[in-house]
Amino acid sequence: MNKIPRLRFAHLPTPIEELPRLSKVLNGPRLLVKRDDQTGLAFGGNKTRKLEYLLAEASANGAATLITAGAIQSNHCRQTAAAAAHHGFECILVLTDSNVNTKLPRPDDKKEQPNENLEDTAKPATGNLLLDILFGAELVWASSQERDLVLQQTFQKAWDDGRRPYLIPYGGSNTVGATAYVNAIKEMLDQFREPSINLTAPDWIIFPSSSGGTQAGLVLGASIFGYQGQILGISVDEDALILKERVARLATETADFLGERKQFMEDDIFVNDEFLGDGYGVMGELEKEAVRLFASSEGLLLDPVYTGRAAGGLTKLIRKGYFKKNQTLLFWHTGGTPAIFAEKYQDLV
Ligand SMILES: *Cc1c(COP(=O)(O)O)cnc(C)c1O
Protein backbone atom coordinates (compact mmCIF):
# COMPACT_ATOMS: atom_id res chain seq x y z
CA MET A 1 0.00 0.00 0.00
CA ASN A 2 2.96 2.30 0.57
CA LYS A 3 3.60 2.08 -3.16
CA ILE A 4 0.36 3.90 -4.02
CA PRO A 5 1.22 7.51 -4.94
CA ARG A 6 0.07 10.04 -2.38
CA LEU A 7 0.43 13.78 -1.86
CA ARG A 8 0.68 14.84 1.76
CA PHE A 9 -1.45 17.76 2.77
CA ALA A 10 -3.89 16.45 5.36
CA HIS A 11 -3.06 17.11 9.00
CA LEU A 12 -2.59 13.57 10.27
CA PRO A 13 -3.05 11.77 12.52
CA THR A 14 -6.31 13.45 13.47
CA PRO A 15 -6.86 13.56 17.23
CA ILE A 16 -8.94 11.06 19.20
CA GLU A 17 -10.81 12.69 22.07
CA GLU A 18 -13.11 11.47 24.83
CA LEU A 19 -16.66 12.78 25.17
CA PRO A 20 -17.32 12.20 28.88
CA ARG A 21 -20.05 14.84 29.30
CA LEU A 22 -22.03 13.58 26.33
CA SER A 23 -21.67 10.02 27.56
CA LYS A 24 -23.04 11.10 30.94
CA VAL A 25 -25.98 13.07 29.47
CA LEU A 26 -26.95 9.98 27.48
CA ASN A 27 -26.28 7.68 30.41
CA GLY A 28 -24.47 5.56 27.86
CA PRO A 29 -21.22 3.79 27.15
CA ARG A 30 -17.82 5.43 26.86
CA LEU A 31 -17.72 7.72 23.82
CA LEU A 32 -14.72 8.76 21.74
CA VAL A 33 -14.50 10.92 18.67
CA LYS A 34 -11.97 10.69 15.81
CA ARG A 35 -11.59 14.24 14.54
CA ASP A 36 -11.55 13.93 10.75
CA ASP A 37 -13.31 17.29 10.76
CA GLN A 38 -9.77 18.49 11.54
CA THR A 39 -7.90 17.15 8.51
CA GLY A 40 -6.60 20.66 7.97
CA LEU A 41 -7.66 21.53 4.44
CA ALA A 42 -10.25 24.33 4.32
CA PHE A 43 -12.32 23.22 7.35
CA GLY A 44 -11.39 19.58 6.87
CA GLY A 45 -13.45 16.45 6.39
CA ASN A 46 -13.14 12.90 5.17
CA LYS A 47 -12.67 13.87 1.50
CA THR A 48 -9.28 15.42 2.29
CA ARG A 49 -7.83 11.99 3.07
CA LYS A 50 -9.16 10.61 -0.23
CA LEU A 51 -7.90 13.63 -2.17
CA GLU A 52 -4.31 12.95 -1.08
CA TYR A 53 -4.45 9.84 -3.27
CA LEU A 54 -6.71 11.20 -6.00
CA LEU A 55 -4.56 14.28 -6.61
CA ALA A 56 -1.42 12.14 -6.70
CA GLU A 57 -3.02 10.06 -9.45
CA ALA A 58 -4.15 13.21 -11.28
CA SER A 59 -0.57 14.52 -11.14
CA ALA A 60 0.86 11.22 -12.31
CA ASN A 61 -1.54 11.32 -15.26
CA GLY A 62 -0.41 14.83 -16.20
CA ALA A 63 -3.83 16.32 -15.49
CA ALA A 64 -4.36 20.07 -15.17
CA THR A 65 -8.05 20.32 -14.32
CA LEU A 66 -9.99 18.45 -11.63
CA ILE A 67 -13.65 17.82 -12.35
CA THR A 68 -16.15 16.45 -9.88
CA ALA A 69 -19.81 16.72 -8.95
CA GLY A 70 -22.08 16.95 -5.95
CA ALA A 71 -24.98 18.70 -4.29
CA ILE A 72 -25.00 22.47 -3.87
CA GLN A 73 -23.65 22.15 -0.30
CA SER A 74 -21.25 19.30 -1.14
CA ASN A 75 -18.32 19.02 1.26
CA HIS A 76 -16.57 16.83 -1.30
CA CYS A 77 -16.74 19.61 -3.89
CA ARG A 78 -15.50 22.21 -1.40
CA GLN A 79 -12.51 20.10 -0.39
CA THR A 80 -11.75 19.26 -4.04
CA ALA A 81 -11.81 22.97 -4.95
CA ALA A 82 -9.49 23.77 -2.03
CA ALA A 83 -7.09 20.93 -2.86
CA ALA A 84 -7.05 22.09 -6.50
CA ALA A 85 -6.16 25.65 -5.46
CA HIS A 86 -3.53 24.32 -3.06
CA HIS A 87 -1.83 22.25 -5.77
CA GLY A 88 -2.25 24.47 -8.82
CA PHE A 89 -5.01 22.57 -10.61
CA GLU A 90 -8.01 24.22 -12.17
CA CYS A 91 -11.31 22.93 -10.85
CA ILE A 92 -14.75 22.51 -12.38
CA LEU A 93 -17.67 21.50 -10.16
CA VAL A 94 -20.97 20.18 -11.50
CA LEU A 95 -23.47 21.09 -8.82
CA THR A 96 -27.08 20.08 -8.38
CA ASP A 97 -29.71 22.07 -6.61
CA SER A 98 -33.43 21.38 -6.46
CA ASN A 99 -34.10 24.99 -7.55
CA VAL A 100 -31.94 24.77 -10.65
CA ASN A 101 -33.75 25.20 -13.94
CA THR A 102 -32.65 25.30 -17.55
CA LYS A 103 -31.79 29.01 -17.48
CA LEU A 104 -28.54 28.28 -15.70
CA PRO A 105 -25.25 28.11 -17.62
CA ARG A 106 -24.42 24.85 -19.39
CA PRO A 107 -20.98 23.49 -20.23
CA ASP A 108 -21.11 24.81 -23.78
CA ASP A 109 -22.12 28.31 -22.71
CA LYS A 110 -19.50 31.01 -22.35
CA LYS A 111 -17.12 30.28 -19.48
CA GLU A 112 -18.24 32.06 -16.35
CA GLN A 113 -15.76 33.88 -14.18
CA PRO A 114 -15.97 33.01 -10.50
CA ASN A 115 -16.91 36.57 -9.54
CA GLU A 116 -19.69 36.70 -12.07
CA ASN A 117 -20.97 33.51 -10.51
CA LEU A 118 -21.12 35.22 -7.17
CA GLU A 119 -23.13 38.12 -8.55
CA ASP A 120 -25.31 35.96 -10.78
CA THR A 121 -26.57 33.85 -7.92
CA ALA A 122 -29.95 35.29 -7.02
CA LYS A 123 -29.17 34.93 -3.33
CA PRO A 124 -25.68 35.35 -1.93
CA ALA A 125 -23.69 32.13 -1.89
CA THR A 126 -23.35 30.66 1.60
CA GLY A 127 -21.67 27.73 3.35
CA ASN A 128 -19.74 25.35 1.12
CA LEU A 129 -20.91 27.10 -2.07
CA LEU A 130 -19.34 30.37 -0.94
CA LEU A 131 -16.09 28.51 -0.28
CA ASP A 132 -16.18 26.83 -3.73
CA ILE A 133 -16.29 30.31 -5.26
CA LEU A 134 -13.50 31.63 -3.03
CA PHE A 135 -11.29 28.72 -4.14
CA GLY A 136 -11.83 29.83 -7.73
CA ALA A 137 -13.78 26.78 -8.92
CA GLU A 138 -15.84 27.08 -12.10
CA LEU A 139 -19.42 26.09 -11.40
CA VAL A 140 -21.69 24.22 -13.79
CA TRP A 141 -25.29 23.68 -12.70
CA ALA A 142 -27.37 20.61 -13.44
CA SER A 143 -30.71 19.23 -12.39
CA SER A 144 -30.34 15.98 -10.48
CA GLN A 145 -31.85 14.00 -13.39
CA GLU A 146 -29.25 15.40 -15.79
CA ARG A 147 -26.29 15.38 -13.46
CA ASP A 148 -24.47 12.40 -14.97
CA LEU A 149 -25.02 13.68 -18.48
CA VAL A 150 -23.84 17.21 -17.66
CA LEU A 151 -20.79 15.80 -15.87
CA GLN A 152 -19.92 13.74 -18.96
CA GLN A 153 -20.41 16.75 -21.27
CA THR A 154 -18.33 18.95 -18.99
CA PHE A 155 -15.52 16.42 -19.02
CA GLN A 156 -15.69 16.04 -22.81
CA LYS A 157 -15.64 19.81 -23.31
CA ALA A 158 -12.64 20.24 -21.02
CA TRP A 159 -10.91 17.43 -22.90
CA ASP A 160 -11.66 18.99 -26.28
CA ASP A 161 -10.39 22.35 -25.00
CA GLY A 162 -7.05 20.78 -24.09
CA ARG A 163 -7.51 21.33 -20.35
CA ARG A 164 -6.27 17.82 -19.44
CA PRO A 165 -9.17 16.97 -17.14
CA TYR A 166 -9.14 14.33 -14.39
CA LEU A 167 -12.50 13.04 -13.24
CA ILE A 168 -13.03 12.48 -9.54
CA PRO A 169 -16.15 10.36 -8.90
CA TYR A 170 -18.96 11.39 -6.53
CA GLY A 171 -17.60 11.55 -3.02
CA GLY A 172 -14.13 10.53 -4.26
CA SER A 173 -15.32 6.96 -3.80
CA ASN A 174 -13.30 4.72 -6.05
CA THR A 175 -10.47 2.33 -5.21
CA VAL A 176 -7.92 5.17 -5.12
CA GLY A 177 -10.02 7.28 -2.72
CA ALA A 178 -11.01 4.35 -0.51
CA THR A 179 -7.33 3.50 -0.01
CA ALA A 180 -7.12 6.55 2.26
CA TYR A 181 -9.48 4.95 4.78
CA VAL A 182 -7.61 1.66 4.70
CA ASN A 183 -4.69 3.71 5.99
CA ALA A 184 -6.89 5.59 8.43
CA ILE A 185 -7.61 2.32 10.27
CA LYS A 186 -3.88 1.76 10.66
CA GLU A 187 -3.52 5.35 11.90
CA MET A 188 -6.24 4.75 14.49
CA LEU A 189 -4.81 1.43 15.69
CA ASP A 190 -1.38 3.03 16.05
CA GLN A 191 -2.92 5.76 18.19
CA PHE A 192 -4.44 3.21 20.55
CA ARG A 193 -1.09 1.46 20.83
CA GLU A 194 0.50 4.60 22.26
CA PRO A 195 0.70 4.28 26.04
CA SER A 196 -0.20 7.95 26.54
CA ILE A 197 -3.71 7.49 25.15
CA ASN A 198 -4.45 4.94 27.88
CA LEU A 199 -7.47 3.46 26.12
CA THR A 200 -8.15 0.22 24.33
CA ALA A 201 -9.36 0.20 20.73
CA PRO A 202 -13.13 0.80 20.48
CA ASP A 203 -15.72 -1.95 20.22
CA TRP A 204 -17.62 0.07 17.64
CA ILE A 205 -16.80 2.64 14.97
CA ILE A 206 -19.86 4.66 13.94
CA PHE A 207 -20.03 7.27 11.17
CA PRO A 208 -22.20 8.59 8.33
CA SER A 209 -22.01 6.58 5.12
CA SER A 210 -23.08 7.72 1.68
CA SER A 211 -21.02 7.11 -1.46
CA GLY A 212 -19.36 4.26 0.43
CA GLY A 213 -15.65 5.03 0.05
CA THR A 214 -15.12 5.75 3.71
CA GLN A 215 -16.84 2.57 4.84
CA ALA A 216 -15.20 0.39 2.18
CA GLY A 217 -11.77 1.65 3.24
CA LEU A 218 -12.49 1.17 6.95
CA VAL A 219 -13.80 -2.36 6.44
CA LEU A 220 -10.86 -3.38 4.27
CA GLY A 221 -8.40 -1.68 6.63
CA ALA A 222 -9.91 -3.57 9.56
CA SER A 223 -9.41 -6.84 7.72
CA ILE A 224 -5.83 -6.04 6.70
CA PHE A 225 -4.66 -4.59 10.02
CA GLY A 226 -6.65 -6.80 12.36
CA TYR A 227 -9.20 -4.44 13.88
CA GLN A 228 -11.75 -6.64 15.61
CA GLY A 229 -14.57 -4.19 16.45
CA GLN A 230 -17.78 -3.49 14.56
CA ILE A 231 -17.89 -0.89 11.80
CA LEU A 232 -21.38 0.60 11.59
CA GLY A 233 -22.27 3.02 8.82
CA ILE A 234 -25.33 5.16 9.41
CA SER A 235 -26.81 5.60 5.95
CA VAL A 236 -27.43 9.20 4.98
CA ASP A 237 -29.39 8.70 1.76
CA GLU A 238 -29.70 5.09 0.68
CA ASP A 239 -31.51 1.88 1.58
CA ALA A 240 -29.24 -0.43 3.56
CA LEU A 241 -29.37 -3.10 0.85
CA ILE A 242 -28.07 -0.77 -1.85
CA LEU A 243 -25.38 0.75 0.35
CA LYS A 244 -24.14 -2.62 1.64
CA GLU A 245 -23.84 -3.90 -1.90
CA ARG A 246 -21.95 -0.76 -2.96
CA VAL A 247 -19.55 -0.89 -0.01
CA ALA A 248 -18.89 -4.63 -0.37
CA ARG A 249 -18.11 -4.23 -4.07
CA LEU A 250 -15.83 -1.24 -3.52
CA ALA A 251 -14.03 -2.93 -0.62
CA THR A 252 -13.40 -5.99 -2.81
CA GLU A 253 -12.18 -3.85 -5.71
CA THR A 254 -9.95 -1.83 -3.40
CA ALA A 255 -8.44 -5.04 -1.99
CA ASP A 256 -7.66 -6.07 -5.56
CA PHE A 257 -6.18 -2.62 -6.28
CA LEU A 258 -3.89 -3.00 -3.26
CA GLY A 259 -2.88 -6.54 -4.18
CA GLU A 260 -4.78 -8.12 -1.28
CA ARG A 261 -6.84 -11.22 -1.92
CA LYS A 262 -10.02 -10.48 -0.04
CA GLN A 263 -13.65 -10.68 -0.94
CA PHE A 264 -16.46 -8.89 0.87
CA MET A 265 -20.12 -9.85 0.76
CA GLU A 266 -23.13 -7.71 1.69
CA ASP A 267 -23.42 -9.54 5.00
CA ASP A 268 -19.91 -8.41 5.96
CA ILE A 269 -21.06 -4.77 5.87
CA PHE A 270 -23.07 -3.19 8.71
CA VAL A 271 -25.42 -0.40 7.69
CA ASN A 272 -28.31 1.19 9.56
CA ASP A 273 -30.86 2.98 7.38
CA GLU A 274 -33.43 3.86 10.06
CA PHE A 275 -32.55 7.53 10.07
CA LEU A 276 -33.13 8.68 6.50
CA GLY A 277 -35.91 11.05 7.58
CA ASP A 278 -37.22 13.11 4.68
CA GLY A 279 -34.24 12.28 2.48
CA TYR A 280 -30.78 13.51 1.62
CA GLY A 281 -29.94 16.97 2.89
CA VAL A 282 -33.27 17.53 4.62
CA MET A 283 -32.57 18.59 8.18
CA GLY A 284 -35.15 17.32 10.67
CA GLU A 285 -35.57 17.13 14.44
CA LEU A 286 -33.12 14.22 14.66
CA GLU A 287 -30.25 16.22 13.16
CA LYS A 288 -31.18 19.40 15.00
CA GLU A 289 -31.21 17.70 18.37
CA ALA A 290 -27.86 16.02 17.70
CA VAL A 291 -26.18 19.23 16.52
CA ARG A 292 -27.37 21.04 19.65
CA LEU A 293 -26.55 18.19 22.02
CA PHE A 294 -22.98 17.71 20.80
CA ALA A 295 -22.37 21.47 20.72
CA SER A 296 -23.77 22.20 24.17
CA SER A 297 -22.38 19.18 25.98
CA GLU A 298 -18.91 19.02 24.41
CA GLY A 299 -18.33 22.16 22.35
CA LEU A 300 -18.17 19.89 19.31
CA LEU A 301 -19.69 20.98 16.00
CA LEU A 302 -21.54 18.57 13.74
CA ASP A 303 -23.00 19.26 10.30
CA PRO A 304 -26.70 19.23 9.38
CA VAL A 305 -26.49 16.60 6.60
CA TYR A 306 -24.02 13.84 7.51
CA THR A 307 -22.62 13.87 11.02
CA GLY A 308 -25.83 15.41 12.41
CA ARG A 309 -27.82 12.48 11.02
CA ALA A 310 -25.29 9.85 12.11
CA ALA A 311 -24.95 11.34 15.59
CA GLY A 312 -28.74 11.56 15.85
CA GLY A 313 -28.92 7.87 14.96
CA LEU A 314 -26.18 7.08 17.44
CA THR A 315 -27.94 8.87 20.30
CA LYS A 316 -31.20 7.08 19.48
CA LEU A 317 -29.43 3.72 19.49
CA ILE A 318 -27.71 4.51 22.80
CA ARG A 319 -31.03 5.51 24.41
CA LYS A 320 -32.60 2.28 23.15
CA GLY A 321 -29.85 0.31 24.88
CA TYR A 322 -28.45 -1.02 21.61
CA PHE A 323 -24.86 -0.98 22.94
CA LYS A 324 -23.55 -2.62 26.10
CA LYS A 325 -22.73 -0.22 28.92
CA ASN A 326 -19.14 -1.45 29.24
CA GLN A 327 -18.36 -0.99 25.54
CA THR A 328 -16.42 1.85 23.95
CA LEU A 329 -17.88 3.63 20.93
CA LEU A 330 -15.85 5.74 18.56
CA PHE A 331 -17.76 8.31 16.53
CA TRP A 332 -15.70 8.98 13.40
CA HIS A 333 -16.38 12.66 12.70
CA THR A 334 -16.28 13.02 8.91
CA GLY A 335 -16.53 16.83 8.77
CA GLY A 336 -19.05 18.97 6.91
CA THR A 337 -19.35 21.77 9.44
CA PRO A 338 -19.36 24.70 6.91
CA ALA A 339 -22.89 23.60 5.94
CA ILE A 340 -24.12 24.97 9.27
CA PHE A 341 -23.61 28.40 7.70
CA ALA A 342 -25.52 27.58 4.53
CA GLU A 343 -28.63 29.64 4.02
CA LYS A 344 -30.55 26.38 3.67
CA TYR A 345 -29.67 25.27 7.21
CA GLN A 346 -28.67 28.27 9.31
CA ASP A 347 -32.23 28.98 10.43
CA LEU A 348 -32.85 25.32 11.26
CA VAL A 349 -29.87 24.62 13.49
C1 LIG B 1 -18.98 12.69 1.96
C2 LIG B 1 -19.26 12.73 3.40
C3 LIG B 1 -19.61 11.56 4.11
C4 LIG B 1 -19.81 10.23 3.44
O1 LIG B 1 -18.61 9.62 3.08
P1 LIG B 1 -18.64 8.54 1.91
O2 LIG B 1 -17.25 8.11 1.75
O3 LIG B 1 -19.17 9.28 0.70
O4 LIG B 1 -19.57 7.45 2.28
C5 LIG B 1 -19.80 11.66 5.46
N1 LIG B 1 -19.70 12.83 6.10
C6 LIG B 1 -19.38 13.97 5.46
C7 LIG B 1 -19.29 15.23 6.25
C8 LIG B 1 -19.15 13.96 4.09
O5 LIG B 1 -18.85 15.10 3.46
Side-chain angles (χ1 to χ4, degrees):
M1 183 168 3
N2 295 329
K3 287 185 303 227
I4 311 293
R6 174 182 186 182
L7 299 179
R8 302 255 177 186
F9 50 87
H11 296 184
L12 302 177
T14 55
I16 294 172
E17 295 166 351
E18 277 211 74
L19 302 173
R21 280 156 291 274
L22 181 62
S23 174
K24 199 167 164 206
V25 174
L26 294 170
N27 189 25
R30 173 177 239 163
L31 290 174
L32 308 175
V33 61
K34 174 87 170 140
R35 299 293 305 273
D36 273 16
D37 58 323
Q38 302 287 313
T39 47
L41 178 74
F43 296 125
N46 62 343
K47 305 311 179 309
T48 299
R49 284 190 192 265
K50 300 178 183 182
L51 287 162
E52 286 197 326
Y53 289 89
L54 292 161
L55 263 70
E57 189 184 67
S59 279
N61 292 359
T65 304
L66 305 180
I67 301 182
T68 197
I72 181 168
Q73 282 298 330
S74 165
N75 302 301
H76 165 64
C77 287
R78 179 247 312 164
Q79 286 162 92
T80 302
H86 190 55
H87 286 279
F89 291 95
E90 293 187 5
C91 181
I92 307 176
L93 302 175
V94 174
L95 296 178
T96 53
D97 179 24
S98 40
N99 298 323
V100 165
N101 57 43
T102 44
K103 279 185 304 200
L104 285 152
R106 288 309 183 82
D108 27 34
D109 291 351
K110 185 175 77 63
K111 184 178 140 186
E112 296 262 314
Q113 293 306 311
N115 289 343
E116 288 175 35
N117 269 328
L118 234 181
E119 282 149 17
D120 282 358
T121 325
K123 292 180 189 148
T126 54
N128 282 307
L129 180 62
L130 172 63
L131 301 178
D132 296 343
I133 293 167
L134 291 180
F135 296 132
E138 294 164 42
L139 309 181
V140 176
W141 294 96
S143 65
S144 34
Q145 300 91 312
E146 287 185 317
R147 181 168 80 165
D148 290 336
L149 178 69
V150 174
L151 181 58
Q152 236 177 300
Q153 289 171 344
T154 302
F155 184 87
Q156 188 59 48
K157 171 122 192 4
W159 184 267
D160 293 343
D161 291 346
R163 298 180 68 185
R164 289 182 280 142
Y166 175 83
L167 187 67
I168 298 179
Y170 301 114
S173 285
N174 56 14
T175 57
V176 176
T179 297
Y181 271 89
V182 176
N183 262 325
I185 280 283
K186 173 152 194 316
E187 173 185 303
M188 180 200 78
L189 290 172
D190 286 347
Q191 285 175 300
F192 283 105
R193 276 187 203 109
E194 275 182 33
S196 59
I197 197 165
N198 202 18
L199 289 166
T200 46
D203 301 290
W204 293 83
I205 296 174
I206 296 145
F207 57 97
S209 191
S210 174
S211 65
T214 301
Q215 189 160 7
L218 291 175
V219 167
L220 176 57
S223 167
I224 293 175
F225 297 111
Y227 170 66
Q228 307 282 347
Q230 305 276 13
I231 294 175
L232 174 63
I234 306 285
S235 178
V236 169
D237 55 356
E238 211 80 85
D239 282 352
L241 232 61
I242 294 173
L243 187 53
K244 282 180 178 194
E245 198 268 330
R246 180 186 298 165
V247 171
R249 186 161 21 92
L250 183 54
T252 303
E253 287 170 8
T254 306
D256 191 46
F257 173 69
L258 296 176
E260 299 274 341
R261 287 178 153 270
K262 288 183 190 291
Q263 181 154 26
F264 296 90
M265 310 304 282
E266 282 150 52
D267 287 348
D268 300 325
I269 311 298
F270 295 102
V271 168
N272 183 313
D273 65 358
E274 289 167 42
F275 307 106
L276 299 176
D278 288 330
Y280 177 80
V282 182
M283 188 178 191
E285 278 306 311
L286 180 89
E287 293 81 17
K288 179 173 170 168
E289 201 214 332
V291 169
R292 293 185 170 201
L293 179 64
F294 277 59
S296 62
S297 66
E298 294 283 357
L300 185 67
L301 290 176
L302 303 175
D303 82 283
V305 179
Y306 295 93
T307 54
R309 181 158 292 176
L314 172 63
T315 36
K316 279 229 162 124
L317 292 174
I318 290 174
R319 286 181 176 136
K320 273 203 315 207
Y322 184 87
F323 306 102
K324 295 199 186 78
K325 260 317 247 302
N326 63 353
Q327 291 185 319
T328 299
L329 278 48
L330 181 139
F331 183 69
W332 204 303
H333 194 320
T334 47
T337 45
I340 283 185
F341 305 106
E343 194 226 16
K344 188 174 174 187
Y345 300 117
Q346 63 194 4
D347 293 338
L348 297 173
V349 295

